[in-house]
Structures are given as structure tokens and as C-alpha cells.
Amino acid sequence: MAQLITTDLVTLDQDLGSDRQQVIRHLADQVAATGRATGADGLYADALAREQKTATGIPGGIAIPHCRSTSVTEPTLAMARLKPPVDFGAKDGPADLVFFIAAPDGADQEHLKLLSKLARSLIKKDFTAALRAAATPQDIVDLVQGALDAGPRQSSAGAHAQPTATPTETTTADGVTPPAAPRRLVAVTACPTGIAHTYMAADSLVAAAKERGVDLQVETQGSSGATPLPPEVIAAADAVIFAVDVDVRDRNRFAGKPVITSPVKRGIDEPGVMVDEALAAADNPNARRVQGSTDSEAQQPDDGGEGVGRQLKRALLTGVSYMIPFVAGGGLLIALGFLLAGYEIALSNADGVGNADAMLAQYTLLNLPPEGLAVFLGAVFFKIGGLSMGFLIPALAGYIAYALADRPGIAPGFVAGAVAGFMGAGFLGGIVGGLLAGYIAMMIGRIKVPRWLRSLMPVVIIPLLASIAASGLMILVLGGPIASLTNSLNDWLSGMTGAAAVLVGVILGLMMAIDLGGPINKVAYSFAVAGLGAGALANQAPWQIMAAVMAAGMVPPLAMALATVIDRRRFSVAERENGKAAWLLGAAFISEGAIPFAAADPLRVIPASMLGSAVTGAIVMGAGVTSQAPHGGIFVFFAIGNVAMFVVAIIVGTIISALTVVALKRFATRKTEDTPVTETVAA
């Protein structure tokens, strides 16, 4: 197995810049220079995107920026000991030890286990002390290799771990003093990449529990695999801790347990606090609990302490996120069908049968139509895409219900979504049906039933009753009015011309730029995606809205990239590096590429971005540009109708935003800010 770290990947006691972006850039350059990545820019962009999701600084002056990247050719560690330290977001101050973990997108399990093992070693004080005392890069390599080669440690997943608690004693009425049972907790840790934070949080929680005399066993759901906690360990636990940034796999195993939930990084920063909170929850009969059903316990709702508004928002965004793959695949396949077979493939022939259906019924690959192979494949793509889009409303409703009631809500949600589609209630009906199914399933799940009936609740009784109730309400009461509202909305969108269409484009553009991937941006995007399935040759307004949203969302990162070229001296070294990555991020419709600029200078960057995005949205709507793809930016050009005006609108908006932000930085600033930004060069 190739060595993960070499002396060429170690930097000792150097000034690599004043912020984390500069440090990460240096380490990405090191990795690329050793031939372990195809390019530094792609690796840097992936690492920075991961850093923007969750800061990688941890207590003790340590930072572990990390990512999976298609640019990486072999698993790699790069290390820097910084003078002066740099802030990586840890609560106790800046970091002087930085390990950059670069993993290929498809790294093998053995390498991932080694990377995870290193991350766990970094929370050991003797190991970090040795790193700080090392005199040469070879000393660092030897220390790291020694940590990786060390014998297997006791897994914090703890499937067979012995209790770590020291039993306390209590005196009974007859004077006997039996040992009390130790407090027992279980936990799950998981992060998006599953390399570092997952395992560090697990070890930190175990150590904090041991200090308190508590038996804590952790299931790490990481990239190097997961060993599920045994059912008897979960059953014996007093409470559960979820330190996760992603969904917990097979959450129903913990049903009914008092639960404490937080981001995975809190498990590293405040493990003791989380253990104390879990112990308090175990003693509180009103503590929130994990939703679901098990054979041995009555199910209880995990309301998470959420208000209704936050609960609704979470459910809607969950539904949209699970729906997007159906829309993305279906929309792109339909666009490919049009590209190969022309728009006529969507029309009906003289007998009222769809042209695609008629062609597929009559011809095969061995018996091609007179129009040739391309047209036949176009019909195939169009048909598959149409079938995929047919799942749009059921998937939206099903996963809205899933977000509210977990797995028992999926079937009622899908059925209610199918009923909404049958009644012509569209995506509005899907939303209402999903919410109905989810809340009804949740309420049924709260009913206390005899033990012998509990195993049937999640797989038979809840889906059956919730399907009858939610779909019955849709058919008998709500479906008709919602269908009328949907038809009115479609008629209004279809009739938009001139100033009305331009105004909608302006509003969508402002929403896409005001918080750059935040809640308002997501509302506009979700609205566009949810309506995409209603688009057709006779009603292209939903496709126009999708085009306006996508084009407007591309403007902020592209504008910031252009601004760093127009007037370099107004931007720091890190911002100029971010600008290079922002070209690609903007072209791919990743609005978050402008976040580093907005975070550093929100009062100039956000208004400038809003101005350019509003103009772009207006041009797209005014010119009737369409998009049948929900994502992809310029890379899905074949799914864009009037692609020339799509590009023109983006260019105009980008120039406006770039010139505006440069002007604001020049003239709407204090004199002390007018001095040129100087480069920081590593010694």
C-alpha cells in the first residue's frame, strides 16, 4: 500500500497566510505537486466547499480540513505546523497543527480506515505533543506512520466493549448494599465525508463518558464501514446521542429512547456537555424521544422540540430533496429525446396516440423506423424521462410524509401523492397530501397498543390507516379545490407576458441572490423544481421559471470571480484564490461559491449580487428562455431552450454585479481600507 504521507507533504513552522483558505490552498498545491492529484484547483475547491459546510478546527489547536475529490489519485495526508496559528473555527482558538486529508472519490476501505485512525489519534494529547516537538519532516512522517501502524484499538463502536462505568452503591431497607447498575448510553456519529469528524466525535464522547463513570458505546457510520450496535446494547441504554450531520441509518432501532441530537462537530467540541444532556434526558419523562416502532417498546414521537414552522420547513425541503433525482433524470432524458427526435416526439398522431408511444409499440432496435436510430433513441429517452417525471408528485408527497413520520409515512405519502396527480391537483396537492399523510401517520403512531400488536404498527396498521385517511380526504374534500387552484395558477403562469413575466424574473433573481443557498434561495429553487413537471410544449412557463432561477443563481459566484480579475487589489489573496474556483462553481449553478466573499463583506457583495441576479432573471423571463433541467448550469446546455439568450442574460448579470461590487469597494469604503492587499509568501 502506498505511503499516505511523505516528507514532501510536510511543512514545519512556516507562515502560510492569515486565514484557512490560504493554508488549504498551500496544502492542496503540495498534494498536486507530488503527483497525488490531477490538479490543485479542483482539490482546493472541493476542500473549501467541505470547509464551508462545517469548520474543521477542533479543541487543542488542531485542524483537519478534508474532502473526497475526483482530483485525488491516491489517499494522501499533508501536514503543516503553522507559525503563527490560523483560525479554523475551533472554540478554543486558532490551530497550529493542520492535517489535510485528501481522499479519492472512490477510496478503498483499507485506506479509509487508516485515514480514520489518524483522525482519532489527533485527539490524543501525547501524540499532538510529539508532533509539536518534532524537529524534521521525517520525524513527522515517522510519528504518523507509527500511529497508523499501531495495533488495533478497542473500537468505540463498542459492539462487544465492556462497561466503563464504576458502579455506585445504595443502601436498601434491609441494610444490604448492592451495587447500582451503571448508567448506559449509546451514540451514533456521522459526517458527510465520513473520514475524520465521525471517528473523532466517537472517541471524544467515549472519553467524556468514561470520566463520568458512564458506559457509552458508539456506532460510527463512516466511510470505512459501520458495525451496528447489538440490539441488546441499544435495549439496555438509558438514552441515545446522535452527533450527526446526515441521516442516521436504520433510526428505528432506537425508537422510544430519550435522544440528544446535534451536529457531529459538537461531539468533538463539547462531548462532556452532550453526555450530561443525555443523562438528564434519561431522567426526564418528558424528554424528546426517537420516533418509530420496535417490537419491544411502544413508539414515541421524536418531535425534536421543533416548532410547527420549522417542522414544516424541514418536511418540505426533505420532500423536494428526494424528488430532485426524479426531476433531474426525467428532465434531462426528455431534453435528450427532444435533441435527438425533435419536439414532434411529444405530440400525438392522428389516432390520438403519442408519437413516442406509437414508435415504441411498432419498432425495435432490430426493426428501426424510417427516421433512423437517432429518432428511435430519442423516443426511448423521451418515454423513460416521462415515466420518471411521473414519480415527481408521489415522491414529493412520500418523502414529506417520511420526514414527519419516518418509514411508516412513506407508503401513505406516496399514495396521497398519486391521488393528487390523479385529481389534477399538481405539486400543491402533493404537498398537502404529503403533510396529511405524515401528520396522520405520526398521530396513529402515538397510540399505545398492546405489545402483540406493536410489530404490526409500522408495516401494516399505520400505512393502511394513514393511506385511507389522507387519500380519502384528498379525494372527498381537498383534491377538487386544490386542482382548481392549480389550474388557475397554471393558467396565470401560461398567460404571463411582457411586464408580468419580467417582474416574476426580477423577484426570483432577488430571492436567489439574497442569501446564496440559504432558506430564501431554497424557497425559490424548490418552487421552480416542484413546478417543473407541469411544463409542456403548450405550457412552457414552468420551464421559464426554472431557467430564470438557474441563471440568476449562477450570477453571484461568476460575478465575484470576474470582480477579482477586474480589480485584484480590492481582494485578499484568499479571495482571489476563491475567485478562481468560483468560475467553475458559478458555471455549474452552485450559488454557494459566492459565500466566502459575502461572509467577508456582506454589505457590498450581497446587494451587488442581488442587482445582477435580478437583471438576469428579468432577461430570461422576458426572452422566454426555458430549462427542462433542474440543475447543472451551462453544462446542461442541451436542455436549455434559447441557450444564446440564457448565456447573454448570465453575462449581463455577471458584469453588472462585478462592476457594482468593485465600485462599492472603491467608493463606499473607509480610507484605511483603500491600501492594496499584500501577498503573504511562505518562507
Side-chain angles (χ1 to χ4, degrees), residues 50 54-60 64 89-91 119-120 123 156 186-191 196-212 216 218-220 240-245 260-278:
R50 172 63 185 88
T54 308
T56 55
I58 61 174
I64 312 179
K91 290 187 176 182
R120 299 176 113 152
I123 65 173
S156 61
V186 292
V188 175
T189 60
C191 67
H197 285 69
T198 298
Y199 302 96
M200 299 176 74
D203 287 355
S204 298
L205 288 167
V206 168
K210 187 174 183 179
E211 291 175 359
R212 290 158 173 78
L216 171 65
V218 187
E219 180 180 314
T220 52
V240 59
I241 295 172
F242 291 151
V244 296
D245 290 333
I260 298 297
T261 303
S262 78
V264 67
K265 193 169 185 295
R266 188 171 179 239
I268 303 172
D269 294 342
E270 301 178 347
V273 176
M274 292 194 71
V275 171
D276 292 339
E277 290 175 353

Short mmCIF file of all heavy atoms in Angstrom, two decimals, residues 50 54-60 64 89-91 119-120 123 156 186-191 196-212 216 218-220 240-245 260-278:
data_model
loop_
_atom_site.label_atom_id
_atom_site.label_comp_id
_atom_site.label_asym_id
_atom_site.label_seq_id
_atom_site.Cartn_x
_atom_site.Cartn_y
_atom_site.Cartn_z
N ARG A 50 -16.13 21.72 1.45
CA ARG A 50 -16.34 20.95 2.69
C ARG A 50 -16.14 21.84 3.92
O ARG A 50 -16.88 21.75 4.89
CB ARG A 50 -15.37 19.76 2.71
CG ARG A 50 -15.35 18.99 4.03
CD ARG A 50 -16.70 18.35 4.32
NE ARG A 50 -16.73 17.73 5.63
CZ ARG A 50 -17.06 18.36 6.75
NH1 ARG A 50 -17.39 19.65 6.73
NH2 ARG A 50 -17.09 17.71 7.89
N THR A 54 -18.91 22.83 7.46
CA THR A 54 -18.63 22.74 8.89
C THR A 54 -17.15 23.04 9.10
O THR A 54 -16.29 22.44 8.45
CB THR A 54 -18.92 21.33 9.44
OG1 THR A 54 -20.24 20.94 9.07
CG2 THR A 54 -18.79 21.30 10.95
N ALA A 55 -16.85 23.96 10.00
CA ALA A 55 -15.46 24.27 10.31
C ALA A 55 -14.75 23.02 10.82
O ALA A 55 -15.32 22.21 11.54
CB ALA A 55 -15.39 25.38 11.35
N THR A 56 -13.47 22.85 10.44
CA THR A 56 -12.74 21.63 10.77
C THR A 56 -11.76 21.82 11.92
O THR A 56 -10.98 20.92 12.20
CB THR A 56 -11.99 21.11 9.53
OG1 THR A 56 -11.14 22.15 9.02
CG2 THR A 56 -12.97 20.69 8.45
N GLY A 57 -11.78 22.98 12.57
CA GLY A 57 -10.96 23.16 13.76
C GLY A 57 -11.55 22.40 14.93
O GLY A 57 -12.77 22.34 15.10
N ILE A 58 -10.67 21.78 15.74
CA ILE A 58 -11.11 21.05 16.92
C ILE A 58 -10.29 21.51 18.11
O ILE A 58 -9.22 22.12 17.95
CB ILE A 58 -10.97 19.52 16.73
CG1 ILE A 58 -9.51 19.14 16.50
CG2 ILE A 58 -11.84 19.04 15.58
CD1 ILE A 58 -9.28 17.65 16.45
N PRO A 59 -10.77 21.27 19.33
CA PRO A 59 -10.03 21.73 20.50
C PRO A 59 -8.61 21.19 20.54
O PRO A 59 -8.32 20.09 20.08
CB PRO A 59 -10.86 21.17 21.67
CG PRO A 59 -12.24 21.04 21.12
CD PRO A 59 -12.06 20.64 19.69
N GLY A 60 -7.71 22.02 21.09
CA GLY A 60 -6.32 21.62 21.22
C GLY A 60 -5.41 22.19 20.17
O GLY A 60 -4.27 21.74 20.01
N ILE A 64 -8.38 19.78 10.87
CA ILE A 64 -8.33 18.64 9.94
C ILE A 64 -9.19 18.94 8.72
O ILE A 64 -10.27 18.36 8.54
CB ILE A 64 -8.80 17.34 10.60
CG1 ILE A 64 -8.13 17.16 11.95
CG2 ILE A 64 -8.46 16.14 9.72
CD1 ILE A 64 -8.57 15.91 12.67
N GLY A 89 -11.92 27.78 13.16
CA GLY A 89 -13.27 27.70 13.69
C GLY A 89 -13.42 26.95 14.99
O GLY A 89 -14.55 26.74 15.45
N ALA A 90 -12.32 26.54 15.64
CA ALA A 90 -12.42 25.87 16.93
C ALA A 90 -12.75 26.88 18.02
O ALA A 90 -12.32 28.04 17.96
CB ALA A 90 -11.12 25.14 17.27
N LYS A 91 -13.49 26.44 19.03
CA LYS A 91 -13.92 27.36 20.07
C LYS A 91 -12.77 27.83 20.95
O LYS A 91 -12.83 28.91 21.55
CB LYS A 91 -15.00 26.71 20.94
CG LYS A 91 -16.32 26.53 20.22
CD LYS A 91 -17.40 26.05 21.16
CE LYS A 91 -18.75 25.99 20.45
NZ LYS A 91 -19.84 25.56 21.34
N ALA A 119 -7.17 10.38 12.24
CA ALA A 119 -8.04 11.40 12.82
C ALA A 119 -8.28 11.12 14.30
O ALA A 119 -8.28 12.05 15.12
CB ALA A 119 -9.37 11.44 12.06
N ARG A 120 -8.45 9.87 14.66
CA ARG A 120 -8.67 9.52 16.06
C ARG A 120 -7.42 9.78 16.90
O ARG A 120 -7.50 10.17 18.06
CB ARG A 120 -9.09 8.06 16.19
CG ARG A 120 -10.37 7.73 15.45
CD ARG A 120 -10.68 6.26 15.51
NE ARG A 120 -11.87 6.03 16.29
CZ ARG A 120 -12.69 4.99 16.10
NH1 ARG A 120 -12.43 4.12 15.17
NH2 ARG A 120 -13.75 4.85 16.84
N ILE A 123 -6.73 13.36 18.68
CA ILE A 123 -7.32 13.85 19.93
C ILE A 123 -6.55 13.33 21.14
O ILE A 123 -6.94 13.58 22.27
CB ILE A 123 -8.81 13.46 20.04
CG1 ILE A 123 -8.98 11.95 20.13
CG2 ILE A 123 -9.62 14.04 18.90
CD1 ILE A 123 -10.41 11.53 20.42
N SER A 156 -14.62 2.18 19.45
CA SER A 156 -15.63 2.96 20.15
C SER A 156 -17.02 2.58 19.68
O SER A 156 -18.01 2.96 20.28
CB SER A 156 -15.40 4.45 19.92
OG SER A 156 -15.49 4.75 18.57
N VAL A 186 -25.94 5.01 24.43
CA VAL A 186 -25.44 4.65 23.10
C VAL A 186 -25.43 5.92 22.25
O VAL A 186 -26.11 6.90 22.55
CB VAL A 186 -26.31 3.57 22.42
CG1 VAL A 186 -26.18 2.25 23.14
CG2 VAL A 186 -27.77 4.00 22.35
N ALA A 187 -24.62 5.89 21.20
CA ALA A 187 -24.49 7.07 20.34
C ALA A 187 -24.24 6.64 18.91
O ALA A 187 -23.75 5.54 18.65
CB ALA A 187 -23.37 7.98 20.84
N VAL A 188 -24.58 7.54 18.00
CA VAL A 188 -24.25 7.38 16.58
C VAL A 188 -23.55 8.66 16.14
O VAL A 188 -24.03 9.77 16.44
CB VAL A 188 -25.50 7.15 15.72
CG1 VAL A 188 -25.13 7.12 14.24
CG2 VAL A 188 -26.20 5.86 16.12
N THR A 189 -22.42 8.52 15.47
CA THR A 189 -21.73 9.68 14.91
C THR A 189 -21.61 9.50 13.40
O THR A 189 -21.35 8.39 12.92
CB THR A 189 -20.32 9.85 15.53
OG1 THR A 189 -19.53 8.69 15.26
CG2 THR A 189 -20.42 10.07 17.04
N ALA A 190 -21.78 10.59 12.68
CA ALA A 190 -21.70 10.53 11.21
C ALA A 190 -21.52 11.93 10.66
O ALA A 190 -22.13 12.88 11.15
CB ALA A 190 -22.96 9.90 10.61
N CYS A 191 -20.66 12.06 9.66
CA CYS A 191 -20.48 13.34 8.98
C CYS A 191 -20.55 13.09 7.48
O CYS A 191 -20.51 11.94 7.03
CB CYS A 191 -19.15 13.98 9.36
SG CYS A 191 -17.68 13.09 8.80
N ALA A 196 -13.11 11.95 9.08
CA ALA A 196 -12.46 12.48 10.27
C ALA A 196 -13.42 12.72 11.42
O ALA A 196 -13.34 12.08 12.48
CB ALA A 196 -11.72 13.78 9.92
N HIS A 197 -14.37 13.64 11.24
CA HIS A 197 -15.23 14.05 12.35
C HIS A 197 -16.03 12.88 12.93
O HIS A 197 -16.28 12.82 14.13
CB HIS A 197 -16.20 15.14 11.88
CG HIS A 197 -15.56 16.48 11.71
ND1 HIS A 197 -14.66 16.73 10.71
CD2 HIS A 197 -15.68 17.64 12.42
CE1 HIS A 197 -14.25 17.99 10.80
NE2 HIS A 197 -14.85 18.56 11.84
N THR A 198 -16.44 11.95 12.09
CA THR A 198 -17.22 10.80 12.56
C THR A 198 -16.50 10.07 13.69
O THR A 198 -17.08 9.77 14.73
CB THR A 198 -17.47 9.83 11.39
OG1 THR A 198 -18.24 10.50 10.39
CG2 THR A 198 -18.22 8.59 11.85
N TYR A 199 -15.22 9.81 13.49
CA TYR A 199 -14.47 8.98 14.44
C TYR A 199 -13.94 9.80 15.61
O TYR A 199 -13.86 9.30 16.73
CB TYR A 199 -13.33 8.28 13.69
CG TYR A 199 -13.88 7.43 12.57
CD1 TYR A 199 -13.94 7.92 11.27
CD2 TYR A 199 -14.39 6.17 12.81
CE1 TYR A 199 -14.47 7.16 10.24
CE2 TYR A 199 -14.92 5.39 11.79
CZ TYR A 199 -14.96 5.90 10.51
OH TYR A 199 -15.50 5.15 9.51
N MET A 200 -13.59 11.04 15.36
CA MET A 200 -13.11 11.89 16.44
C MET A 200 -14.24 12.18 17.43
O MET A 200 -14.02 12.21 18.65
CB MET A 200 -12.54 13.18 15.87
CG MET A 200 -11.35 12.94 14.95
SD MET A 200 -10.75 14.44 14.18
CE MET A 200 -9.93 15.18 15.57
N ALA A 201 -15.44 12.40 16.92
CA ALA A 201 -16.58 12.64 17.81
C ALA A 201 -16.85 11.39 18.64
O ALA A 201 -17.14 11.47 19.84
CB ALA A 201 -17.82 13.02 17.00
N ALA A 202 -16.74 10.22 18.02
CA ALA A 202 -16.97 8.97 18.76
C ALA A 202 -15.98 8.83 19.91
O ALA A 202 -16.37 8.55 21.05
CB ALA A 202 -16.85 7.78 17.80
N ASP A 203 -14.70 9.03 19.64
CA ASP A 203 -13.70 8.87 20.69
C ASP A 203 -13.84 9.94 21.77
O ASP A 203 -13.64 9.67 22.96
CB ASP A 203 -12.30 8.93 20.08
CG ASP A 203 -11.96 7.66 19.30
OD1 ASP A 203 -12.78 6.72 19.33
OD2 ASP A 203 -10.91 7.61 18.67
N SER A 204 -14.19 11.16 21.38
CA SER A 204 -14.36 12.23 22.36
C SER A 204 -15.54 11.92 23.29
O SER A 204 -15.46 12.14 24.50
CB SER A 204 -14.59 13.57 21.65
OG SER A 204 -13.48 13.93 20.87
N LEU A 205 -16.63 11.42 22.74
CA LEU A 205 -17.79 11.08 23.56
C LEU A 205 -17.48 9.93 24.51
O LEU A 205 -17.88 9.94 25.69
CB LEU A 205 -18.98 10.72 22.66
CG LEU A 205 -19.63 11.88 21.91
CD1 LEU A 205 -20.57 11.37 20.82
CD2 LEU A 205 -20.40 12.78 22.88
N VAL A 206 -16.77 8.92 24.02
CA VAL A 206 -16.41 7.79 24.87
C VAL A 206 -15.53 8.25 26.03
O VAL A 206 -15.73 7.85 27.19
CB VAL A 206 -15.71 6.69 24.04
CG1 VAL A 206 -15.08 5.65 24.95
CG2 VAL A 206 -16.70 6.02 23.10
N ALA A 207 -14.55 9.12 25.73
CA ALA A 207 -13.66 9.60 26.78
C ALA A 207 -14.42 10.42 27.81
O ALA A 207 -14.19 10.29 29.02
CB ALA A 207 -12.53 10.43 26.15
N ALA A 208 -15.33 11.29 27.35
CA ALA A 208 -16.11 12.11 28.28
C ALA A 208 -17.01 11.24 29.15
O ALA A 208 -17.19 11.50 30.35
CB ALA A 208 -16.94 13.13 27.51
N ALA A 209 -17.59 10.20 28.56
CA ALA A 209 -18.45 9.31 29.34
C ALA A 209 -17.64 8.55 30.38
O ALA A 209 -18.08 8.37 31.53
CB ALA A 209 -19.16 8.33 28.41
N LYS A 210 -16.45 8.11 30.01
CA LYS A 210 -15.61 7.37 30.95
C LYS A 210 -15.26 8.22 32.16
O LYS A 210 -15.24 7.73 33.30
CB LYS A 210 -14.34 6.90 30.24
CG LYS A 210 -13.47 5.97 31.08
CD LYS A 210 -12.32 5.44 30.25
CE LYS A 210 -11.49 4.45 31.08
NZ LYS A 210 -10.36 3.88 30.30
N GLU A 211 -14.98 9.52 31.93
CA GLU A 211 -14.69 10.42 33.04
C GLU A 211 -15.86 10.51 34.02
O GLU A 211 -15.66 10.78 35.21
CB GLU A 211 -14.37 11.82 32.50
CG GLU A 211 -13.05 11.91 31.75
CD GLU A 211 -12.85 13.28 31.13
OE1 GLU A 211 -13.75 14.14 31.30
OE2 GLU A 211 -11.80 13.50 30.50
N ARG A 212 -17.07 10.30 33.53
CA ARG A 212 -18.27 10.41 34.36
C ARG A 212 -18.76 9.06 34.87
O ARG A 212 -19.84 8.97 35.45
CB ARG A 212 -19.38 11.11 33.56
CG ARG A 212 -19.09 12.59 33.33
CD ARG A 212 -19.87 13.13 32.14
NE ARG A 212 -19.70 14.58 32.03
CZ ARG A 212 -18.61 15.15 31.54
NH1 ARG A 212 -17.60 14.41 31.11
NH2 ARG A 212 -18.53 16.48 31.47
N LEU A 216 -20.64 4.16 27.62
CA LEU A 216 -21.13 4.70 26.34
C LEU A 216 -20.54 3.87 25.21
O LEU A 216 -19.33 3.69 25.13
CB LEU A 216 -20.71 6.17 26.18
CG LEU A 216 -20.98 6.79 24.80
CD1 LEU A 216 -22.48 6.85 24.53
CD2 LEU A 216 -20.36 8.17 24.70
N VAL A 218 -20.59 3.50 20.94
CA VAL A 218 -20.85 4.36 19.78
C VAL A 218 -20.82 3.55 18.49
O VAL A 218 -19.96 2.70 18.30
CB VAL A 218 -19.81 5.50 19.68
CG1 VAL A 218 -20.19 6.48 18.57
CG2 VAL A 218 -19.67 6.23 21.00
N GLU A 219 -21.75 3.85 17.63
CA GLU A 219 -21.77 3.29 16.28
C GLU A 219 -21.31 4.39 15.33
O GLU A 219 -21.97 5.41 15.18
CB GLU A 219 -23.17 2.83 15.91
CG GLU A 219 -23.30 2.24 14.51
CD GLU A 219 -24.70 1.78 14.19
OE1 GLU A 219 -25.31 1.11 15.06
OE2 GLU A 219 -25.21 2.12 13.10
N THR A 220 -20.17 4.19 14.69
CA THR A 220 -19.63 5.17 13.75
C THR A 220 -20.11 4.82 12.35
O THR A 220 -19.72 3.81 11.79
CB THR A 220 -18.10 5.18 13.80
OG1 THR A 220 -17.61 3.84 13.64
CG2 THR A 220 -17.61 5.73 15.12
N VAL A 240 -29.92 7.97 24.02
CA VAL A 240 -29.10 7.89 22.81
C VAL A 240 -28.64 9.29 22.41
O VAL A 240 -29.37 10.27 22.59
CB VAL A 240 -29.88 7.22 21.65
CG1 VAL A 240 -31.15 7.97 21.33
CG2 VAL A 240 -29.01 7.11 20.40
N ILE A 241 -27.44 9.36 21.91
CA ILE A 241 -26.87 10.61 21.39
C ILE A 241 -26.69 10.45 19.88
O ILE A 241 -26.06 9.49 19.42
CB ILE A 241 -25.52 10.92 22.04
CG1 ILE A 241 -25.68 11.19 23.53
CG2 ILE A 241 -24.85 12.12 21.36
CD1 ILE A 241 -24.36 11.31 24.28
N PHE A 242 -27.24 11.37 19.11
CA PHE A 242 -26.99 11.43 17.67
C PHE A 242 -26.11 12.66 17.41
O PHE A 242 -26.59 13.80 17.44
CB PHE A 242 -28.28 11.55 16.88
CG PHE A 242 -29.15 10.32 16.90
CD1 PHE A 242 -30.53 10.43 16.77
CD2 PHE A 242 -28.59 9.07 17.02
CE1 PHE A 242 -31.34 9.29 16.79
CE2 PHE A 242 -29.39 7.93 17.04
CZ PHE A 242 -30.76 8.04 16.92
N ALA A 243 -24.83 12.45 17.16
CA ALA A 243 -23.93 13.53 16.76
C ALA A 243 -23.69 13.36 15.27
O ALA A 243 -22.75 12.70 14.84
CB ALA A 243 -22.62 13.47 17.54
N VAL A 244 -24.56 13.93 14.47
CA VAL A 244 -24.60 13.62 13.04
C VAL A 244 -24.88 14.87 12.22
O VAL A 244 -25.54 15.80 12.67
CB VAL A 244 -25.68 12.55 12.73
CG1 VAL A 244 -25.36 11.24 13.41
CG2 VAL A 244 -27.07 13.03 13.17
N ASP A 245 -24.33 14.87 11.01
CA ASP A 245 -24.67 15.89 10.01
C ASP A 245 -25.48 15.30 8.87
O ASP A 245 -25.84 16.01 7.93
CB ASP A 245 -23.39 16.52 9.44
CG ASP A 245 -22.68 17.39 10.46
OD1 ASP A 245 -23.35 17.92 11.37
OD2 ASP A 245 -21.45 17.54 10.35
N ILE A 260 -30.65 12.99 22.35
CA ILE A 260 -29.98 14.28 22.22
C ILE A 260 -29.38 14.32 20.82
O ILE A 260 -28.63 13.42 20.44
CB ILE A 260 -28.87 14.46 23.28
CG1 ILE A 260 -29.47 14.42 24.68
CG2 ILE A 260 -28.12 15.77 23.05
CD1 ILE A 260 -30.45 15.53 24.98
N THR A 261 -29.70 15.35 20.06
CA THR A 261 -29.24 15.45 18.67
C THR A 261 -28.46 16.73 18.48
O THR A 261 -28.88 17.79 18.96
CB THR A 261 -30.43 15.40 17.70
OG1 THR A 261 -31.18 14.22 17.93
CG2 THR A 261 -29.96 15.43 16.26
N SER A 262 -27.33 16.65 17.78
CA SER A 262 -26.54 17.85 17.49
C SER A 262 -25.65 17.57 16.29
O SER A 262 -25.49 16.41 15.88
CB SER A 262 -25.67 18.22 18.69
OG SER A 262 -24.54 17.38 18.75
N PRO A 263 -25.05 18.61 15.69
CA PRO A 263 -24.07 18.39 14.63
C PRO A 263 -22.88 17.58 15.17
O PRO A 263 -22.56 17.62 16.36
CB PRO A 263 -23.63 19.81 14.23
CG PRO A 263 -24.76 20.68 14.67
CD PRO A 263 -25.31 20.05 15.91
N VAL A 264 -22.23 16.87 14.27
CA VAL A 264 -21.15 15.98 14.68
C VAL A 264 -20.01 16.74 15.35
O VAL A 264 -19.36 16.24 16.27
CB VAL A 264 -20.64 15.16 13.47
CG1 VAL A 264 -19.95 16.05 12.45
CG2 VAL A 264 -19.69 14.06 13.93
N LYS A 265 -19.77 17.98 14.92
CA LYS A 265 -18.64 18.73 15.47
C LYS A 265 -18.83 19.02 16.95
O LYS A 265 -17.86 19.16 17.70
CB LYS A 265 -18.44 20.03 14.70
CG LYS A 265 -17.11 20.71 14.99
CD LYS A 265 -16.84 21.83 14.01
CE LYS A 265 -15.46 22.41 14.25
NZ LYS A 265 -15.37 23.07 15.56
N ARG A 266 -20.08 19.12 17.40
CA ARG A 266 -20.31 19.36 18.82
C ARG A 266 -19.86 18.16 19.65
O ARG A 266 -19.48 18.31 20.81
CB ARG A 266 -21.80 19.65 19.08
CG ARG A 266 -22.08 20.10 20.51
CD ARG A 266 -23.49 20.60 20.70
NE ARG A 266 -23.69 20.99 22.08
CZ ARG A 266 -24.61 20.48 22.90
NH1 ARG A 266 -25.45 19.55 22.45
NH2 ARG A 266 -24.72 20.88 24.14
N GLY A 267 -19.91 16.98 19.06
CA GLY A 267 -19.40 15.80 19.75
C GLY A 267 -17.92 15.87 20.00
O GLY A 267 -17.40 15.19 20.90
N ILE A 268 -17.20 16.69 19.22
CA ILE A 268 -15.77 16.89 19.43
C ILE A 268 -15.54 18.07 20.37
O ILE A 268 -14.71 18.01 21.28
CB ILE A 268 -15.06 17.14 18.08
CG1 ILE A 268 -15.31 15.98 17.12
CG2 ILE A 268 -13.56 17.34 18.29
CD1 ILE A 268 -14.82 16.24 15.72
N ASP A 269 -16.28 19.14 20.15
CA ASP A 269 -16.07 20.36 20.93
C ASP A 269 -16.64 20.27 22.35
O ASP A 269 -16.04 20.77 23.29
CB ASP A 269 -16.72 21.56 20.22
CG ASP A 269 -16.06 21.88 18.89
OD1 ASP A 269 -14.91 21.43 18.70
OD2 ASP A 269 -16.68 22.56 18.06
N GLU A 270 -17.81 19.65 22.51
CA GLU A 270 -18.49 19.62 23.81
C GLU A 270 -18.98 18.21 24.15
O GLU A 270 -20.16 18.00 24.43
CB GLU A 270 -19.67 20.59 23.80
CG GLU A 270 -19.29 22.03 23.53
CD GLU A 270 -20.51 22.94 23.48
OE1 GLU A 270 -21.64 22.42 23.42
OE2 GLU A 270 -20.33 24.16 23.52
N PRO A 271 -18.11 17.22 24.14
CA PRO A 271 -18.59 15.85 24.40
C PRO A 271 -19.15 15.69 25.81
O PRO A 271 -20.14 14.99 26.02
CB PRO A 271 -17.34 15.00 24.19
CG PRO A 271 -16.19 15.93 24.42
CD PRO A 271 -16.65 17.26 23.91
N GLY A 272 -18.51 16.33 26.78
CA GLY A 272 -19.00 16.21 28.15
C GLY A 272 -20.38 16.80 28.33
O GLY A 272 -21.23 16.23 29.04
N VAL A 273 -20.62 17.93 27.70
CA VAL A 273 -21.94 18.56 27.78
C VAL A 273 -23.00 17.66 27.18
O VAL A 273 -24.10 17.49 27.73
CB VAL A 273 -21.92 19.94 27.07
CG1 VAL A 273 -23.32 20.55 27.07
CG2 VAL A 273 -20.93 20.88 27.74
N MET A 274 -22.68 17.01 26.04
CA MET A 274 -23.65 16.13 25.41
C MET A 274 -23.95 14.90 26.26
O MET A 274 -25.10 14.46 26.36
CB MET A 274 -23.15 15.70 24.02
CG MET A 274 -23.10 16.84 23.01
SD MET A 274 -22.91 16.22 21.33
CE MET A 274 -24.52 15.50 21.05
N VAL A 275 -22.93 14.36 26.91
CA VAL A 275 -23.16 13.22 27.80
C VAL A 275 -24.05 13.64 28.96
O VAL A 275 -25.00 12.93 29.33
CB VAL A 275 -21.82 12.66 28.30
CG1 VAL A 275 -22.06 11.62 29.39
CG2 VAL A 275 -21.04 12.02 27.14
N ASP A 276 -23.77 14.82 29.54
CA ASP A 276 -24.60 15.31 30.65
C ASP A 276 -26.04 15.52 30.19
O ASP A 276 -27.00 15.21 30.93
CB ASP A 276 -24.03 16.62 31.19
CG ASP A 276 -22.69 16.42 31.90
OD1 ASP A 276 -22.41 15.27 32.31
OD2 ASP A 276 -21.93 17.39 32.03
N GLU A 277 -26.23 16.06 29.00
CA GLU A 277 -27.58 16.28 28.48
C GLU A 277 -28.30 14.95 28.27
O GLU A 277 -29.51 14.84 28.54
CB GLU A 277 -27.51 17.05 27.16
CG GLU A 277 -27.09 18.51 27.32
CD GLU A 277 -26.91 19.20 25.99
OE1 GLU A 277 -26.99 18.52 24.93
OE2 GLU A 277 -26.69 20.43 25.98
N ALA A 278 -27.57 13.95 27.80
CA ALA A 278 -28.19 12.64 27.59
C ALA A 278 -28.61 12.01 28.92
O ALA A 278 -29.68 11.41 29.03
CB ALA A 278 -27.23 11.72 26.83
#
